[in-house]
Amino acid sequence: MESGRVGVAPTVEALDSIVIGAGQAGLSTSFHLRRLGIGHVVLDANEGPGGAWQHRWDSLTMADVHGVADLPDAAAPGGSHDRASEVIACWFDDYEETHDLPVLRPVRVDSVTNDDGLLVVHSGSRTWTTRTLVNATGTWTHPFVPTYPGQRDFTGEQWHTVAYPGAEHFRGKRVVVVGGGASAVQLIGEIAPIANVTWVTRRPPVWSEEFSGREAIELVERRVREGRPPASVVSVTGLRLRPQEMAAARTGVYERRRAMFERIERDAVRWADGSVERADAILWATGFRPAVRHLAPLGLRSPQGGIALLPGTRDVQTSVTSALDPRVQLVGYGPSASTIGGNRAGRAAALAVRHHLAARP
C-alpha cells in the first residue's frame, strides 16, 4: 500500500477522523471507519507494519504468545515456532494492503491540541486537522522502570522487557528479575536454566489454574470509568506456568521468590534485613504505562491520574469515549488493552465517531 511507504503530506481541510497508531486496535478501527464510509487517515510512528509486535524479542514465538485475536475479516495466524515479530508484521502488512487502509508512516505524533472546535495533530513541523480522534498508541513505547536508591551507581547491566536481548545474553550471569507479571514469569523461564536467577516482586505472586479474564476486564473498566489509571489484570487472572517454564520451575527459582529489595549497590541489591544478592544484571519486567502524553494539551486526565471513559454497551470492552471530550476515543486503553479487546473497541470507536459526526450542527 503506497500511502504507508512514501512521504507524508499534512491535510489542508479537516478530516472526519484520525487514528493514531496502526497496531491491532488501530487497524480494527480503520477497518470499521472505512466500512462506515468515514474519511480518515491512520498515523503510525513505525517505519513499517506490525505495531509493537515487530519490536518483540526474537525468542518470542507464536507458540509463546498469550493469544492473538482475529482482525475483522481476517483470521489470526496460528501457533508456530516462527518469530511473533515477523509473523504478526507480515499479517498486519497484508491486512493493510488487502483492505486498502489509509496508513501513513512514519509519523510520530508529538501532541494534539484544540483549535476552535477542531483537533490539530502535530508531528514536527507538520499538522493534520480533524473533527474526531481515535487514539490507539498502546503501551509499548512507554516502559515503566521504578526508581530505587543507588540505582545509578549499579555497575552491571540494567534491561527492561522492551529491550530484552535474549536468554543467551545472560548465560552464566547472576540476574535479578524484578516484576510479578506474566512477562517476568516467561523471561525467568528462558533465563533460569542457564543463569543464576533471583526473582523479586513487590507483592506475593497470585497463582491460579483458572483464567478469570472477564472479571479482570470488568475491574479495569471500573477503574477507568472512575478516572483512575488502568490496573494490572494479573492480580485477578493470576499467573500460570506453561510447559515452556517447567525447566526453570525444576530449578526452584519461582519458589525462591523474594520480596522487593530496599536499595541497589554497585554490584548487588540489598534488602532491609541487611541480606545481599550479588548481581551482574537487573532485568526490569515491570510493565508499561499507556502512551498518551501527546494528548496532554487536551486536558483529559482526571484528578485521579487516569483518563475517564464513558460506559459502553454491556460489553465493557466497548468503553472507549473520553468522558471529558467525546471527540476523542481511546482503543487499546483500559478494558480494551488486549488483542480481542482492541478489536471490539475499534468497532465501538468507529460507531462513536459516526454518532459524534452526525450530531454536529
Side-chain angles (χ1 to χ4, degrees):
M1 183 180 60
E2 289 299 315
S3 61
R5 294 173 169 81
V6 298
V8 179
T11 58
V12 176
E13 297 183 358
L15 292 159
D16 281 335
S17 193
I18 286 178
V19 180
I20 305 178
Q24 185 123 8
L27 295 183
S28 173
T29 302
S30 182
F31 173 92
H32 288 292
L33 287 172
R34 181 174 283 282
R35 183 177 60 83
L36 294 173
I38 297 172
H40 69 286
V41 296
V42 182
L43 305 180
D44 187 53
N46 291 289
E47 295 286 339
W53 287 99
Q54 65 191 287
H55 306 297
R56 303 283 177 138
W57 54 93
D58 289 345
S59 59
L60 184 71
T61 70
M62 291 301 296
D64 295 322
V65 299
H66 295 293
V68 179
D70 297 343
L71 279 164
D73 200 30
S80 70
H81 293 293
D82 296 326
R83 291 178 179 176
S85 59
E86 296 175 350
V87 173
I88 301 298
C90 289
W91 181 42
F92 282 10
D93 191 15
D94 290 342
Y95 191 80
E96 290 179 17
E97 186 168 354
T98 298
H99 295 283
D100 194 26
L101 301 183
V103 182
L104 306 179
R105 60 168 60 92
V107 181
R108 184 175 298 279
V109 173
D110 301 317
S111 65
V112 181
T113 59
N114 186 64
D115 183 12
D116 194 25
L118 293 174
L119 297 167
V120 183
V121 179
H122 303 263
S123 176
S125 61
R126 300 169 295 176
T127 60
W128 289 260
T129 304
T130 180
R131 297 178 179 87
T132 65
L133 181 80
V134 182
N135 192 77
T137 48
T139 62
W140 186 257
T141 59
H142 195 185
F144 171 71
V145 177
T147 301
Y148 281 88
Q151 194 164 359
R152 292 186 177 182
D153 297 326
F154 184 64
T155 57
E157 300 176 341
Q158 294 190 62
W159 297 89
H160 186 275
T161 310
V162 74
Y164 175 63
E168 193 59 34
H169 179 85
F170 299 102
R171 180 176 290 275
K173 296 181 180 179
R174 303 181 69 91
V175 184
V176 174
V177 177
V178 183
S183 292
V185 170
Q186 179 178 328
L187 297 182
I188 290 170
E190 293 189 11
I191 299 171
I194 61 173
N196 186 324
V197 173
T198 299
W199 183 27
V200 297
T201 69
R202 286 196 303 125
R203 304 183 189 90
V206 179
W207 299 97
S208 175
E209 291 300 321
E210 299 196 8
F211 184 79
S212 181
R214 176 57 55 182
E215 184 182 353
I217 292 168
E218 290 176 351
L219 169 67
V220 176
E221 191 270 343
R222 185 163 62 250
R223 287 181 62 90
V224 298
R225 189 172 65 246
E226 296 169 352
R228 293 185 288 164
S232 167
V233 299
V234 169
S235 59
V236 176
T237 61
L239 297 168
R240 291 177 296 170
L241 291 179
R242 304 169 303 159
Q244 297 96 312
E245 281 97 49
M246 290 306 162
R250 287 192 287 270
T251 71
V253 63
Y254 297 113
E255 297 174 358
R256 294 193 302 270
R257 181 206 65 90
R258 299 195 62 176
M260 197 63 202
F261 47 76
E262 184 177 66
R263 62 176 296 107
I264 300 173
E265 300 182 349
R266 288 179 56 81
D267 60 352
V269 295
R270 182 180 294 272
W271 281 265
D273 63 3
S275 60
V276 174
E277 182 70 37
R278 302 295 176 189
D280 301 304
I282 300 174
L283 177 56
W284 299 96
T286 43
F288 300 79
R289 298 292 184 266
V292 293
R293 289 175 178 168
H294 54 286
L295 301 180
L298 300 180
L300 302 180
R301 287 193 184 274
S302 72
Q304 290 75 33
I307 298 178
L309 302 180
L310 297 175
T313 65
R314 285 187 294 179
D315 184 344
V316 297
Q317 292 176 320
T318 62
S319 179
V320 297
T321 303
S322 165
L324 295 180
D325 191 338
R327 298 174 300 174
V328 179
Q329 317 298 318
L330 290 95
V331 296
Y333 176 88
S336 63
S338 67
T339 59
I340 190 169
N343 284 343
R344 292 171 178 168
R347 181 176 182 274
L351 292 172
V353 166
R354 183 178 68 174
H355 176 76
H356 180 81
L357 294 173
R360 287 189 308 123

